[in-house]
Amino acid sequence: MTWRYCVQPQLSRRLHYSRHLFTCPLWPVRNYSQSTHPLLDPTEKLEEETLPWYSPEGFYPVRVGEVFQSRYQVVGKLGYGGYSTIWLCRDLCLDSQRSKYVTLKVLECNSPEAQREMSAYDHLNSLNVPDHAGAKLVRKALDSFQIASEKGTFGCLVHSPLGMSMHEFRTQLRAKVLPENLVKLTLMHLLLALNYLHMEAEIVHTDIQEKNIMIGIEDPSILSHFEEEEKSNPSPRKIADDREIYTSRKLRKTKQHGRPTLCDFGQARFGSDFYSGDIQPYIYRAPEVILRMPWNEKVDIWNVGLLTWDIFQQGHLFYGRDPNESPSDAHHLAEMVAILGLPPKDMMQNSEYATTFFDAQGNWKGAVDIPAISLEKLKGNLQGESQQLFLRFLRKTLRWNPDERQSARELLEDPWLRSS
């Protein structure tokens, strides 16, 4: 296997589309059979229905063959997320300079995450920094529109298609971790993207994890193969009231992979120097977030350190769970003390919540025992100088005080990343 980076209408039932003037000559709409697909048990929850917060009113019932904006015809379902479903579409515009395929992300109705993501892409599209290398490594919205309903609106984003996520790529490897050279390549691209987001766009992503890093497509035949498979062997689906719920179809595996691209801005923040409130998946939360302190773009740097561990080692660095497997701030902070030592006293003095776990001198109160772990004990993939360089890189990202974490630009010069 090779890994190659290159920084290169149909009216709805009950709903109507907000539509812009569109005069491009079109390819003919294709017919997708609706009579040969396998039907699944309508009483069993499927895909997005399994989300704890799912409601039929919240997710628009996309159908294969449906055409949006008189331009984007749905080919098949690629997947779903916490507040969206994702579809491969044909771009019917004959004059389009794009690929004939696009990805359509249909967002949950009136979702705060959906509104945040739409706003983030509007902001990114308003910037004019074409020469910044990191701009090519952040997913762009090619188009956006809304579907209106009696309950509210469904935001829709159109993107260039991307392949599997970093998580899917890693877990299909026999070792379940990336080799060192691919770890470095991935981090170089991620840090370029973050340097662009932090310095030019002034965006904090807040949700950097493997599933939000997608790998570019170098072999476009996997898209046409996806379409032909959907036509000849339609995806199983279930019929529930006024909608069909489809199973997702994976893109065919390929040995050609493009650059990693940072995606998903549903949790992104911009427009301020500091923010407050809970962010990040629990095990990736930075200490200032756990301690209910103001935070800034350095939470993304903390995530880079934990992501590095995830893709290069077996398991997570922090788990933050009590013996009953429930999230626990005490256990999470105890793990941080074990790995990082005690936090700075002045940092603890700025957090009222910190007094639950630390005394006035910054010492651990003993809410739970400090585990007997360290980076050196946990580290297993490297030895000698390479191991020391790797651990120094991690310690530049995993610091109690966010001001002491290096920026994305500084990390790009790290000796371990630049070593061969």
Side-chain angles (χ1 to χ4, degrees):
M1 178 187 65
T2 59
W3 178 299
R4 185 150 61 96
Y5 288 95
C6 60
V7 181
Q8 314 222 349
Q10 168 178 333
L11 289 181
S12 147
R13 47 281 166 211
R14 299 177 305 148
L15 303 175
H16 66 275
Y17 309 122
S18 57
R19 180 178 294 140
H20 55 261
L21 183 64
F22 188 67
T23 59
C24 175
L26 302 175
W27 291 100
V29 172
R30 288 194 169 190
N31 178 48
Y32 293 88
S33 172
Q34 300 297 314
S35 59
T36 61
H37 56 262
L39 290 178
L40 302 175
D41 184 349
T43 65
E44 294 291 328
K45 292 184 177 181
L46 182 66
E47 303 247 329
E48 59 269 21
E49 290 182 304
T50 62
L51 297 169
W53 52 87
Y54 173 83
S55 71
E57 296 79 14
F59 285 75
Y60 176 73
V62 178
R63 288 180 177 169
V64 170
E66 190 165 6
V67 179
F68 292 93
Q69 297 295 89
S70 303
R71 177 170 184 173
Y72 307 115
Q73 184 177 20
V74 178
V75 168
K77 187 177 183 182
L78 289 166
Y80 69 99
Y83 57 94
S84 63
T85 54
I86 300 95
W87 307 80
L88 185 67
C89 297
R90 287 176 60 88
D91 185 348
L92 301 177
C93 178
L94 280 167
D95 291 343
S96 176
Q97 299 301 308
R98 312 171 190 163
S99 161
K100 68 177 180 180
Y101 295 102
V102 295
T103 297
L104 176 67
K105 187 171 187 176
V106 183
L107 303 164
E108 185 182 10
C109 184
N110 297 338
S111 162
E113 291 84 0
Q115 183 55 55
R116 191 175 288 127
E117 184 157 28
M118 297 280 283
S119 297
Y121 279 117
D122 284 344
H123 177 63
L124 285 168
N125 286 345
S126 72
L127 303 177
N128 184 25
V129 283
D131 295 332
H132 196 295
K136 301 178 177 66
L137 302 170
V138 173
R139 194 171 210 180
K140 300 295 189 300
L142 304 175
D143 193 5
S144 65
F145 57 94
Q146 292 186 333
I147 305 171
S149 76
E150 295 175 357
K151 299 289 185 179
T153 58
F154 301 85
C156 299
L157 292 164
V158 180
H159 302 286
S160 295
L162 292 171
M164 68 179 73
S165 71
M166 184 61 64
H167 179 264
E168 291 172 305
F169 178 83
R170 178 182 62 81
T171 54
Q172 75 176 9
L173 300 177
R174 182 177 299 178
K176 306 303 180 187
V177 293
L178 297 185
E180 185 181 7
N181 65 320
L182 291 189
V183 173
K184 292 177 182 179
L185 279 172
T186 300
L187 290 175
M188 292 288 281
H189 285 72
L190 175 59
L191 290 169
L192 282 169
L194 285 179
N195 181 45
Y196 168 69
L197 289 179
H198 293 170
M199 302 306 297
E200 302 292 342
E202 298 181 339
I203 285 179
V204 189
H205 189 280
T206 83
D207 194 17
I208 295 171
Q209 54 177 309
E210 290 179 276
K211 293 180 180 180
N212 289 339
I213 300 174
M214 306 290 288
I215 299 172
I217 293 175
E218 287 289 291
D219 178 9
S221 70
I222 66 175
L223 300 174
S224 55
H225 177 269
F226 180 102
E227 179 178 15
E228 294 309 316
E229 281 291 297
E230 184 62 37
K231 287 186 67 178
S232 62
N233 184 26
S235 299
R237 65 204 68 180
K238 59 176 278 190
I239 298 176
D241 298 325
D242 66 336
R243 64 188 55 226
E244 295 179 30
I245 308 293
Y246 293 78
T247 56
S248 302
R249 181 187 296 276
K250 290 187 178 294
L251 294 170
R252 185 181 63 188
K253 290 185 179 180
T254 176
K255 295 184 178 181
Q256 300 178 41
H257 300 285
R259 65 179 183 265
T261 301
L262 185 57
C263 305
D264 290 292
F265 288 83
Q267 300 296 335
R269 307 289 196 276
F270 63 94
S272 178
D273 292 332
F274 284 92
Y275 307 85
S276 61
D278 287 343
I279 52 165
Q280 304 172 303
Y282 189 76
I283 61 172
Y284 298 132
R285 281 188 181 169
E288 61 268 32
V289 177
I290 295 175
L291 293 172
R292 304 174 187 176
M293 301 172 67
W295 49 265
N296 61 13
E297 77 279 356
K298 290 298 182 70
V299 296
D300 285 345
I301 302 301
W302 177 271
N303 275 178
V304 168
L306 297 185
L307 172 74
T308 303
W309 189 272
D310 281 358
I311 63 179
F312 198 28
Q313 305 301 314
Q314 295 284 356
H316 302 299
L317 186 57
F318 301 122
Y319 286 90
R321 306 245 169 206
D322 65 19
N324 296 320
E325 292 299 312
S326 298
S328 165
D329 289 348
H331 287 80
H332 205 162
L333 291 167
E335 291 175 311
M336 291 182 183
V337 171
I339 296 295
L340 307 178
L342 290 169
K345 294 179 184 179
D346 57 348
M347 182 178 178
M348 297 302 95
Q349 292 169 356
N350 292 325
S351 167
E352 182 178 345
Y353 187 50
T355 61
T356 306
F357 310 100
F358 301 93
D359 64 23
Q361 303 305 312
N363 296 311
W364 183 247
K365 281 186 173 181
V368 300
D369 291 336
I370 304 296
I373 57 176
S374 69
L375 286 178
E376 287 77 7
K377 290 179 180 179
L378 293 171
K379 183 69 200 72
N381 280 3
L382 297 173
Q383 295 180 348
E385 184 179 4
S386 293
Q387 182 189 69
Q388 294 307 309
L389 288 173
F390 171 69
L391 294 179
R392 286 173 198 159
F393 172 83
L394 279 186
R395 290 192 174 101
K396 293 174 182 178
T397 66
L398 302 178
R399 309 281 297 185
W400 284 102
N401 187 342
D403 292 338
E404 296 178 2
R405 294 173 209 151
Q406 288 199 350
S407 67
R409 183 190 295 274
E410 291 170 326
L411 289 170
L412 283 165
E413 301 299 323
D414 180 78
W416 174 69
L417 277 189
R418 294 197 165 271
S419 63
S420 57

